[in-house]
Amino acid sequence: MRLAMWSLRLVVAVLLSSLLITALVVGMAPRVWGILNAHEETAIPLYQVGGFTGLAERSVLFDDQGRQIGVFQAENSQQTLISEIPPQVVDALLAIEDQNFRQHRGVDLRAVGRQVISNINDGASGGASTITQQVVKNELLATLPRDGRYKLLQMRYAILLERELTKDQILERWFNTNFYGYNAYGIKAAAEVYFGKDVKDLSIEEGAFLVGLVRAPSAYDPINNRSLSLSRFVTALTRVRDEGYITLTDDEIIRRAAQFMPTGVRSRPDEPVQRTHFTELVKDYLLNQTTILGITYQERYAKLFRGGLRIYTTLDRDAQASADEAVQLLPDNSVNAQAALVTIDNATGAIRAMVGGKPFKAGENEVNLAMRRRQTGSSVKMFILAAALEAGVESDDLIDGKLPCLLPNPDNPTEPFEIKDGVSEPVGPLRRMTWLSINCAYAKLSQIVGLNRVVDRIYQMSASEWLTPEKYPVYPYASLATGANELSVVDMAAGAQTIANLGVHHEPYLLEKILERDNSTLVWERAVNVNGTEALTTATAAKTVDIMRGVVRSGTARRTPLADDRPAGGKTGTQANNTNAWFVGFTPQYSTVVWVGDPRGYTPMRGVPEFRNQIVGTWKFARNTVTGATYPAHIWKLHMDKIHEGLEVTDWGTKRDDEAWKLLVTPQRPLARLYLPGVECVAQVISGVPPAPSTTLAPGRTTTTLPADQTVPTTAPGPVVVSVLPTSTTIDPTEKNPYAPVPSIPIVGHIVYDCDKGVPSWAQTTVVGG
């Protein structure tokens, strides 16, 4: 009995001694530490009052209407103001972590004493850190060893911190600096990750869960350690109940905890955070293509991923959703064909939508197919057409499109460029050759205009920071008209924008402005060129639009007119062996380009079983082959119909018969016959009437509707005497003047024939003046 009493007294004495020593240490430590470091007694400005100076925060991307479209984050660090945190969540924090927070001055001596007793009874170690001490630990002492000096330093800094910041500012720091698991730093990020909501919408139960999670996010992971996490949640809710913030029985607490337990990692549907090809393009630009955010890469990276920037882009979230939906028209397939799409605002050059193939996935689908260059097929003919019209060619000038055709090859004069396959079309108007995408006609036209001049027009019409002569070569190939050069979807959309905007080019761009984390201090803003750059004359662009409208009305894209009879122009493109398929189309408001192909290589898209008998609206894909008029054109229509909903149906002219527009597109001279010197020869008619050069004039432009001085009979009633004219030369390869005339002759009074075959048998030759 005496032994038991003696043991009890010994334990009590030890406890009282421990409490006394602890109290003395706590009371004297800051003063002792101050004496030991008297030379550093000057108050340390631990924080600047207000704001979030020094805290890392992810940068957020917004669309053109201020809606979030993505983030840049090394860690999901989101900052919030204490005023945005619901009072019940603050109550949960105080109940679980620091009941006396409002009373103490950084260190809670009573809590220290209670913890000492608890540690002795339980044989465990632990501390009674206040919220203030936890903030100090997170921000100032994270890298220091946990020795005796650590606890004294933590207490000292906690007392100093309480002198610098208000209680609410300290709470704000606590909520913003803690790690909650799953890469989430700060309660705002945690609210998004675990509950898919904004921090202001958290309940007291959800707040209790998150506060309880902070102690050991990995151990209390609700997805992988659900049982232990639920136990911690119950403990946290019990403390909230014990402090009087909720009224629940123990059984009700268990049920409530099970009800509010997160079941997975989430994101807010109204605030996308996933990486996309567009956001990755913005990231690459800010890190590698510009010094907007700093001189060194390290500066730019820190600013972009931890600087809390507010980045305002050109993307339209609704247009992007439309594009994402439209490309789903292309089914999964055995040749890995994917679709890329870009939409540009014609008035500004702003990129409103971008699909870079299958959705971005790190390590799997990283290549942005909207930026990757591929052979263009016949879609490149729009540049040849514009260059020809700029050089004085008229829409209904005649040109030969018969197969086969053998043309000079500047790269290898000993091996002429030959086209054998495709559609053959006898001599006819240029507009018809465009509608039917006649390769022989356009291969000749490119050399008639001059290959170098066509290349120059491509650079002028599609100019951007991605396409310049210095950055990327476009070659004057003899096969230019059949798509030998590789261009990107953005390049093609930029060229279409120039045509649709009646010759005024605006370079495609991604960014409008960048603000600091306060969403008001300007970091950078795009310099706006309201007037743009004239890449084509208004008359040239108007004639190009007029011809390309026929492609949609009655040409290769006639099956995909836009809803409400909305005016639109376009050009299909299919590369040899169906390895690339394009549609380039535009309205007065938007230009959209769609490409379909296999990103792994030039894979023929023929005989693909998944493409047969696909039904789109009222149209059925009976063939299993992809051309520009199939999936690309239908994706274009689906997307363009959607993004034009609610927009006024406008034409390039006030009305289709508007006098000003009519003046722009009407030929200003008698129609001519275009010819390629060296391939086609010319003779003047001395007497007689030669046969008509063609029976395939444009609709509405038959022999009876041509001006009287251009009427061409269809028969040769008598002998025809001609005089062969001297052979002219092609355009000088160095000629860059876009207005230099092309080889052509009046239709009436001349004939054009194949140089290799000689003068037609129905004609007699003579020498003028002989």
Side-chain angles (χ1 to χ4, degrees):
M1 186 66 177
R2 289 181 179 179
L3 180 60
M5 288 296 295
W6 182 86
S7 299
L8 178 61
R9 290 176 181 177
L10 178 61
V11 170
V12 171
V14 170
L15 289 175
L16 291 175
S17 299
S18 298
L19 286 173
L20 178 60
I21 292 170
T22 301
L24 289 172
V25 169
V26 171
M28 295 176 62
R31 188 172 298 277
V32 170
W33 190 257
I35 293 172
L36 293 174
N37 297 276
H39 59 286
E40 297 177 359
E41 188 60 27
T42 302
I44 302 173
L46 298 178
Y47 299 97
Q48 295 181 9
V49 177
F52 297 109
T53 302
L55 289 182
E57 184 177 0
R58 69 182 185 179
S59 294
V60 182
L61 291 90
F62 300 96
D63 79 345
D64 65 326
Q65 299 178 48
R67 297 171 295 183
Q68 183 172 318
I69 60 170
V71 299
F72 295 133
Q73 57 186 28
E75 56 277 328
N76 183 2
S77 180
Q78 302 181 51
Q79 306 306 313
T80 189
L81 298 171
I82 190 64
S83 59
E84 297 171 340
I85 300 173
Q88 63 267 23
V89 175
V90 176
D91 292 340
L93 170 61
L94 299 182
I96 296 168
E97 291 293 332
D98 193 352
Q99 298 92 330
N100 298 320
F101 176 73
R102 297 293 183 185
Q103 289 76 44
H104 66 64
R105 297 184 179 180
V107 177
D108 188 348
L109 297 181
R110 293 182 180 178
V112 172
R114 287 196 302 269
Q115 189 63 47
V116 169
I117 294 174
S118 175
N119 290 348
I120 293 174
N121 288 338
D122 298 339
S125 61
S129 295
T130 63
I131 289 173
T132 312
Q133 288 175 273
Q134 292 177 41
V135 170
V136 167
K137 177 190 72 174
N138 289 342
E139 299 201 52
L140 297 178
L141 307 179
T143 60
L144 296 184
R146 302 298 180 90
D147 53 19
R149 179 177 177 271
Y150 176 90
K151 197 66 178 178
L152 294 177
L153 198 58
Q154 185 187 38
M155 292 178 180
R156 168 179 166 78
Y157 280 170
I159 293 170
L160 288 174
L161 182 59
E162 292 263 353
R163 295 174 185 171
E164 292 193 27
L165 299 185
T166 66
K167 290 289 187 179
D168 278 351
Q169 288 171 330
I170 293 171
L171 288 173
E172 189 173 87
R173 302 297 291 203
W174 190 95
F175 280 117
N176 282 315
T177 57
N178 274 302
F179 176 59
Y180 294 81
Y182 288 98
N183 203 36
Y185 290 81
I187 196 168
K188 184 174 183 179
E192 174 188 279
V193 167
Y194 290 105
F195 298 109
K197 59 174 61 176
D198 192 277
V199 64
K200 63 181 173 53
D201 299 321
L202 289 175
S203 66
I204 193 168
E205 292 88 353
E206 292 164 337
F209 172 81
L210 295 176
V211 170
L213 185 65
V214 167
R215 177 175 291 185
S218 296
Y220 300 139
D221 178 350
I223 288 88
N224 297 313
N225 295 322
R226 194 163 184 80
S227 178
L228 191 58
S229 180
L230 181 61
S231 176
R232 174 60 178 165
F233 194 3
V234 169
T235 299
L237 278 179
T238 301
R239 290 185 183 175
V240 173
R241 188 270 314 273
D242 292 346
E243 290 298 315
Y245 294 113
I246 56 176
T247 306
L248 297 172
T249 66
D250 288 347
D251 289 341
E252 288 173 333
I253 284 177
I254 293 173
R255 288 196 294 272
R256 189 68 62 88
Q259 175 188 347
F260 280 89
M261 273 285 287
T263 56
V265 176
R266 305 182 184 182
S267 63
R268 292 178 56 186
D270 60 324
E271 294 190 353
V273 298
Q274 66 270 21
R275 297 163 69 182
T276 67
H277 287 109
F278 180 83
T279 61
E280 290 296 298
L281 186 61
V282 172
K283 181 182 75 174
D284 178 69
Y285 175 73
L286 292 175
L287 286 181
N288 302 311
Q289 309 300 324
T290 180
T291 57
I292 289 172
L293 302 183
I295 300 300
T296 68
Y297 180 88
Q298 290 74 16
E299 289 177 295
R300 298 192 292 270
Y301 185 92
K303 194 73 173 175
L304 186 61
F305 285 90
R306 294 191 171 92
L309 298 175
R310 301 303 185 249
I311 301 168
Y312 289 85
T313 74
T314 60
L315 202 75
D316 180 326
R317 208 161 82 172
D318 294 332
Q320 183 63 43
S322 168
D324 290 334
E325 180 180 359
V327 298
Q328 296 305 311
L329 181 64
L330 184 71
D332 290 336
N333 54 84
S334 53
V335 295
N336 193 42
Q338 300 179 31
L341 179 154
V342 167
T343 295
I344 288 180
D345 187 324
N346 291 332
T348 63
I351 295 176
R352 299 301 188 200
M354 175 178 285
V355 176
K358 291 182 179 179
F360 180 91
K361 187 175 182 181
E364 187 171 326
N365 294 321
E366 292 190 357
V367 176
N368 186 347
L369 302 182
M371 301 299 295
R372 190 174 183 181
R373 293 186 166 95
R374 296 286 293 242
Q375 289 185 327
T376 62
S378 291
S379 60
V380 77
K381 290 185 173 88
M382 69 176 182
F383 296 110
I384 302 171
L385 174 63
L389 295 171
E390 190 85 324
V393 172
E394 292 290 357
S395 306
D396 290 312
D397 283 347
L398 303 182
I399 191 168
D400 187 11
K402 293 191 298 293
L403 287 172
C405 53
L406 196 66
L407 306 177
N409 184 354
D411 282 342
N412 189 352
T414 62
E415 293 186 13
F417 173 58
E418 185 175 15
I419 300 177
K420 298 179 181 178
D421 302 320
V423 179
S424 183
E425 187 72 9
V427 176
L430 177 58
R431 69 170 71 240
R432 180 177 175 83
M433 300 299 175
T434 307
W435 299 348
L436 301 181
S437 197
I438 304 302
N439 285 336
C440 274
Y442 262 88
K444 287 179 181 177
L445 183 63
S446 65
Q447 297 201 35
I448 291 171
V449 173
L451 294 170
N452 284 285
R453 279 207 293 182
V454 173
V455 168
D456 192 55
R457 281 306 91 195
I458 292 174
Y459 281 125
Q460 296 293 322
M461 294 169 63
S462 294
S464 73
E465 63 180 279
W466 302 290
L467 182 64
T468 66
E470 296 74 26
K471 289 186 176 180
Y472 181 76
V474 178
Y475 297 102
Y477 294 133
S479 54
L480 188 152
T482 55
N485 278 289
E486 294 182 324
L487 294 171
S488 73
V489 180
V490 170
D491 297 335
M492 297 298 287
Q497 176 275 327
T498 300
I499 297 170
N501 202 37
L502 296 183
V504 178
H505 177 64
H506 292 281
E507 292 196 8
Y509 68 100
L510 308 167
L511 297 175
E512 296 287 2
K513 63 182 178 180
I514 301 174
L515 303 179
E516 291 286 5
R517 66 179 74 198
D518 60 9
N519 209 24
S520 62
T521 304
L522 187 66
V523 175
W524 171 87
E525 188 170 23
R526 178 176 173 266
V528 179
N529 178 8
V530 178
N531 297 323
T533 303
E534 184 180 279
L536 299 171
T537 64
T538 304
T540 294
K543 291 174 183 177
T544 307
V545 167
D546 187 54
I547 293 174
M548 292 181 70
R549 289 185 62 170
V551 175
V552 178
R553 284 198 303 259
S554 53
T556 53
R558 61 190 177 277
R559 296 184 180 90
T560 51
L562 295 184
D564 303 320
D565 198 28
R566 186 178 294 275
K571 186 68 192 75
T572 56
T574 307
Q575 194 60 36
N577 300 316
N578 303 85
T579 55
N580 295 281
W582 296 77
F583 189 74
V584 179
F586 51 81
T587 65
Q589 294 97 335
Y590 295 112
S591 293
T592 292
V593 174
V594 180
W595 167 86
V596 172
D598 178 5
R600 301 171 305 181
Y602 281 63
T603 304
M605 294 181 288
R606 293 175 172 176
V608 183
E610 296 87 356
F611 294 157
R612 183 181 292 279
N613 298 326
Q614 289 289 315
I615 298 175
V616 181
T618 60
W619 178 250
K620 181 177 181 180
F621 292 104
R623 301 171 62 194
N624 53 13
T625 297
V626 178
T627 66
T630 59
Y631 284 105
H634 283 81
I635 290 171
W636 173 83
K637 172 180 167 53
L638 185 64
H639 172 60
M640 290 287 269
D641 279 344
K642 183 68 176 178
I643 65 175
H644 282 85
E645 287 179 359
L647 297 182
E648 181 184 358
V649 177
T650 60
D651 204 338
W652 283 271
T654 306
K655 297 178 180 178
R656 187 62 189 91
D657 59 350
D658 176 78
E659 289 302 318
W661 178 262
K662 195 172 182 180
L663 183 63
L664 285 173
V665 301
T666 300
Q668 301 301 303
R669 58 159 173 76
L671 301 185
R673 169 69 156 88
L674 307 175
Y675 69 95
L676 179 60
V679 174
E680 296 170 302
C681 290
V682 178
Q684 181 181 357
V685 177
I686 304 302
S687 63
V689 181
S694 173
T695 58
T696 56
L697 295 175
R701 294 186 182 276
T702 64
T703 56
T704 59
T705 59
L706 287 172
D709 62 341
Q710 298 179 62
T711 301
V712 181
T714 57
T715 60
V720 178
V721 179
V722 299
S723 175
V724 176
L725 298 180
T727 303
S728 61
T729 59
T730 57
I731 294 293
D732 189 321
T734 63
E735 179 63 75
K736 292 293 184 71
N737 178 7
Y739 313 114
V742 301
S744 66
I745 57 167
I747 293 177
V748 177
H750 297 85
I751 65 168
V752 178
Y753 58 92
D754 188 323
C755 294
D756 290 339
K757 294 181 180 179
V759 175
S761 59
W762 45 260
Q764 301 175 13
T765 60
T766 185
V767 178
V768 177

